[in-house]
Amino acid sequence: AIQSTLNRQRYDGLFGLWTAYDPAEPWLSAFTMDFLIRAKADGFTIPDSAIESGLAGMEKLAAGEGASGDNRDRYGRGPSAQAYAAYVLARQGQAKLADLRYAADQLSPTAGPAMALAHIGAALAMSGEQQRATELFDAAVKIAEQRPFGWWDYGTKLRDLAAIAALMAEAKLPGLDPTPVLERVADLQ
C-alpha cells in the first residue's frame, strides 16, 4: 500500500488519483500525507524525500495555493483541503500560527465544513491556541449535527462526528471532552 501510494506522488509533493502524472488531488494529498507520516511513525519505511516533498506540498495547500473558496467543493480543492493540510503540518510542528489563524477566520463558524473546522481546531490546539480551538470544535459539532446528506463531499453526519471526536481526543484540550460526541456516533451506527 505504501509503495503504491508513493508511486502517485507528483513532482510538487502532492498526489494524483491514479498516477503521478494525474492532476493533484488536494484533499486526498493531505489524507495521503497524514497516512504516510503515521506509517513512518509506526516504523514503516518511508523515504525522507517523499515526506519532505509532501510537506512542501502541504505548505502550498495550507497557504491556499491550488484551492478554491467554495465550501461545497466536491473535488476536495476548497477549505477542507486547506484545513487538512494545515493540520498535517501542525502535527509535524511545521504550521505557521498566522496561517492557522487566517484559515480559521476564513471558515464560517455557522456554515463552514465541519471537518475543516475540526482540522483547524486541532491544528490551533497543537500550536497553543486553546480558546480558539475549543470554539472551532464546538462549531464543528453543531454543524455536523445539522448536516444534511452531503453528496458533494461524500460525507455523512456519522463520518463528520467520528472525525471530530478523533481530532478532539488528539488535541487533548483541557475541558474539551470528546465522550458526548462519541456517544452520538454510537447512536448513529
Coordinates of all heavy atoms in Angstrom, one line a residue, residues 2 6 22 122 127 133 145 159:
I2 N 1.9 1.2 0.8 CA 2.8 2.4 0.8 C 3.5 2.7 -0.5 O 3.5 3.8 -1.0 CB 3.9 2.2 2.0 CG1 3.2 2.3 3.3 CG2 5.0 3.3 1.8 CD1 4.0 1.9 4.5
L6 N 3.1 5.9 -2.9 CA 4.3 6.7 -3.2 C 4.4 6.9 -4.8 O 4.9 7.9 -5.2 CB 5.6 6.2 -2.6 CG 5.7 6.3 -1.1 CD1 6.9 5.5 -0.6 CD2 5.7 7.7 -0.7
D22 N -1.2 12.5 -13.0 CA -2.6 13.0 -12.9 C -2.6 14.3 -12.2 O -1.6 14.7 -11.5 CB -3.5 12.0 -12.1 CG -3.8 10.7 -12.8 OD1 -3.7 10.7 -14.1 OD2 -4.1 9.8 -12.1
A122 N -7.9 21.4 15.7 CA -6.8 20.6 16.2 C -5.4 21.2 15.9 O -4.6 21.2 16.8 CB -6.9 19.2 15.5
S127 N -0.8 24.1 18.4 CA 0.0 25.3 18.3 C -0.2 26.3 19.5 O 0.3 27.4 19.5 CB -0.3 26.1 17.0 OG 0.0 25.3 15.9
A133 N -9.3 27.1 19.5 CA -9.5 25.7 19.1 C -10.8 25.1 19.7 O -11.6 24.5 19.0 CB -8.4 24.8 19.6
E145 N -24.0 18.1 13.4 CA -25.3 17.6 13.9 C -26.4 18.1 12.9 O -27.5 17.4 12.8 CB -25.6 18.1 15.3 CG -24.9 17.4 16.3 CD -25.4 16.0 16.6 OE1 -26.4 15.5 15.9 OE2 -24.9 15.2 17.4
R159 N -19.7 10.2 9.7 CA -18.3 10.4 9.4 C -17.8 11.7 10.0 O -16.7 11.7 10.7 CB -18.1 10.5 7.9 CG -16.6 10.7 7.5 CD -16.3 11.4 6.2 NE -16.8 12.8 6.2 CZ -16.7 13.6 5.2 NH1 -16.1 13.1 4.1 NH2 -17.1 14.8 5.2

